[in-house]
Amino acid sequence: MTNRQASQDRGPRLDPGTVIRTALELLDEKGLDALSTRAVADRLGVRMNTVLWHVKTKARMLELMADAVVGEAPLDDLPSPWDERVRDLARRYRRALLAHRDGATLVVGTYAAEPHTLGFADALVGALLDGDLDERESAWTTWTIIYFALGLTQEEQAAAQQAPNSRLANAVSEAGYPALHRVLGHLDAESFDERFEFGLSAILARR
């Protein structure tokens, strides 16, 4: 490809933001496993090298996608009390993940040191610092909340894509796993909202 052809192929309408928006559209339609730079190029009607010109690698594209997803958790109009602010931020983060198919799996598979991701982390750390947690507690509690939200949301999104089944109930016998059998009724896949609020309260309980 000549420099002139490459310039024409890139075109004035194509920029990294357009690539990432298109990639997120494909994510929502087909899921993370089907996502590729070639699929994004096909959707845009350009060569794959044109997409790579803007995002360099698939890994980099995923990082920028993850940052865009986190950027959908707004940081304005937050409550003033630090603990309410932490809860609100965590809820907004979860909603942003849920807004995209495989959103949690996308974010958990990247390490995006990008503006939206850093801005969200800064807001969460700041709220915890305002609650008189020291620097280490604020940093580690932030990680705990993020890891918890990612893990639970990843499970929730996976469950939504699977037909209900009784595998767990069939596998957990009273004789073989007495403790699990006792709580089996609380291990269903329909209580994610309640489980999220319970876990968030447990994390903040000793603060």
Side-chain angles (χ1 to χ4, degrees):
M1 183 190 302
T2 67
N3 289 338
R4 181 178 177 182
Q5 286 174 320
S7 177
Q8 289 175 339
D9 197 17
R10 288 197 296 274
R13 64 182 178 84
L14 195 59
D15 55 35
T18 301
V19 172
I20 297 308
R21 284 191 296 273
T22 303
L24 287 172
E25 290 173 3
L26 285 170
L27 174 73
D28 292 339
E29 292 174 15
K30 300 183 178 182
L32 189 58
D33 288 343
L35 188 67
S36 66
T37 53
R38 183 175 298 279
V40 174
D42 289 345
R43 172 62 61 89
L44 288 167
V46 299
R47 296 178 176 85
M48 186 172 68
N49 284 347
T50 302
V51 170
L52 294 175
W53 173 272
H54 292 285
V55 297
K56 308 309 178 188
T57 64
K58 180 183 178 181
R60 178 61 178 156
M61 181 178 76
L62 294 176
E63 288 179 351
L64 294 173
M65 290 173 65
D67 190 58
V69 169
V70 175
E72 294 177 15
L75 303 180
D76 56 346
D77 297 323
L78 288 163
S80 295
W82 74 270
D83 53 340
E84 294 180 21
R85 208 182 327 151
V86 169
R87 290 176 185 275
D88 204 10
L89 283 165
R91 291 166 185 149
R92 294 180 187 197
Y93 185 74
R94 177 171 174 255
R95 285 196 296 269
L97 298 174
L98 287 171
H100 293 278
R101 180 175 175 178
D102 296 332
T105 301
L106 167 68
V107 174
V108 82
T110 63
Y111 187 82
E114 299 296 325
H116 294 308
T117 301
L118 295 175
F120 177 83
D122 187 73
L124 190 51
V125 170
L128 292 164
L129 288 170
D130 287 346
D132 291 331
L133 277 70
D134 64 30
E135 286 82 358
R136 187 180 75 167
E137 278 190 303
S138 296
W140 288 7
T141 302
T142 293
W143 284 123
T144 301
I145 291 170
I146 288 175
Y147 291 153
F148 166 65
L150 285 169
L152 186 66
T153 308
Q154 193 172 16
E155 178 188 345
E156 181 174 2
Q157 292 184 311
Q161 297 175 31
Q162 299 171 358
N165 61 65
S166 56
R167 287 178 59 191
L168 182 61
N170 292 335
V172 178
S173 66
E174 185 175 7
Y177 307 97
L180 278 178
H181 188 271
R182 184 174 172 181
V183 303
L184 191 58
H186 301 287
L187 300 179
D188 63 273
E190 305 298 325
S191 57
F192 287 105
D193 289 344
E194 294 86 351
R195 287 161 61 184
F196 182 76
E197 294 298 330
F198 178 88
L200 193 54
S201 294
I203 293 170
L204 297 175
R206 71 183 192 87
R207 307 303 167 195

